[in-house]
Amino acid sequence: MIITNIVKGKKDNNLVFVDGNYTFSADSETIFKNKLSVGCNIDLDLINKIKFEVNKHKSKEKAFRLLSYRNHSRKELVDKIKRKYDENSANIAVDKMEKLGLIDDRKFALEYALSLFKKFFSVKRVKFELSKKGIDKDTILEIIDEISPNEKEQILCLLSKKYSEKMDNEENIKKISLSLQNSGYSFTDINSAILAYKEDMGKDDFN
């Protein structure tokens, strides 16, 4: 197989054509390091090696770019890189981020859980969201034990901030209770919070 053309693309990207067909892209450093030029012979092993090296390099660039926007869990970062590059390259890139101290699942879990609790997410919902991000069970339980708020107080805040205008009759209250249960709050905490809310409003019942 012979390299028949190398076309300069956007930024530092070169399109390499083998036997007249586009075969792979590579940055200028990779082109130079592998002594690639028009008319050179190239075999499949070298093509695959270069593709892998390019994917590793681009995966690392994407990892840096994603982390510049916000913190990510390891799984979240790997999954995003895998959308464009192979899984092996994604894992190598994320391993590099961990070695550089740019990824810390426990720190990420703590910050993410705090942000969710500030939005009045239930403990059950926060556990689920952390699990989706790839945080291991032991870390989730540790974080929850460390920072989880009182769920009854969370519900009271929700009743006051989000549902106060709808707390005017029992039918609405039943709908609110169901919504809170669907959000992961327990019926016991919901019922206790509603009773406390009613007492605070000076009403034992709503008509």
Side-chain angles (χ1 to χ4, degrees):
M1 295 186 289
I2 298 175
I3 296 176
T4 51
N5 201 4
I6 298 178
V7 179
K8 194 75 174 177
K10 294 181 179 179
K11 298 182 179 179
D12 186 28
N13 191 45
N14 299 276
L15 311 178
V16 181
F17 291 77
V18 177
D19 294 339
N21 299 309
Y22 167 72
T23 307
F24 62 90
S25 297
D27 58 89
S28 297
E29 182 181 350
T30 300
I31 295 290
F32 177 78
K33 184 171 67 176
N34 289 278
K35 300 178 180 178
L36 304 180
S37 61
V38 175
C40 286
N41 288 311
I42 190 169
D43 59 27
L44 190 58
D45 286 342
L46 182 55
I47 290 173
N48 288 334
K49 174 180 175 292
I50 291 172
K51 284 182 176 180
F52 180 60
E53 290 299 320
V54 169
N55 276 346
K56 283 200 303 180
H57 177 70
K58 289 185 176 179
S59 292
K60 288 176 185 176
E61 287 188 331
K62 187 171 181 65
F64 277 122
R65 189 165 59 253
L66 289 168
L67 289 170
S68 71
Y69 299 138
R70 66 169 178 82
N71 288 333
H72 288 69
S73 67
R74 178 185 176 90
K75 179 182 183 300
E76 186 181 24
L77 197 59
V78 168
D79 286 346
K80 286 187 177 182
I81 295 172
K82 277 167 51 181
R83 293 173 188 170
K84 192 168 184 179
Y85 306 107
D86 63 278
E87 185 171 1
N88 193 16
S89 295
N91 278 304
I92 290 172
V94 175
D95 285 343
K96 180 67 174 179
M97 300 303 109
E98 284 186 325
K99 288 179 181 178
L100 291 172
L102 299 177
I103 296 177
D104 182 333
D105 270 5
R106 192 188 187 286
K107 181 180 178 182
F108 169 83
L110 179 62
E111 293 175 351
Y112 189 50
L114 282 170
S115 71
L116 295 179
F117 281 132
K118 286 180 180 179
K119 297 177 182 177
F120 304 107
F121 279 38
S122 67
V123 168
K124 184 177 180 180
R125 176 71 184 279
V126 171
K127 286 180 178 179
F128 174 72
E129 295 297 331
L130 289 175
S131 179
K132 279 172 55 179
K133 297 294 185 182
I135 307 302
D136 67 88
K137 184 178 179 181
D138 288 343
T139 300
I140 291 174
L141 293 175
E142 184 181 326
I143 294 295
I144 294 298
D145 184 60
E146 183 178 332
I147 66 169
S148 63
N150 181 289
E151 294 234 293
K152 178 182 172 182
E153 291 178 1
Q154 286 280 89
I155 297 168
L156 280 168
C157 285
L158 273 171
L159 294 178
S160 177
K161 294 177 179 294
K162 184 176 180 180
Y163 297 111
S164 60
E165 294 183 1
K166 298 180 180 179
M167 294 286 291
D168 57 352
N169 62 71
E170 289 298 332
E171 185 177 350
N172 282 345
I173 290 173
K174 286 179 182 178
K175 291 179 181 178
I176 292 168
S177 176
L178 181 60
S179 176
L180 291 170
Q181 288 177 63
N182 290 336
S183 296
Y185 289 105
S186 71
F187 176 78
T188 300
D189 284 336
I190 294 169
N191 193 46
S192 178
I194 288 175
L195 288 174
Y197 183 87
K198 288 180 177 181
E199 289 176 2
D200 189 52
M201 293 294 102
K203 298 182 179 180
D204 295 326
D205 191 19
F206 291 89
N207 298 313

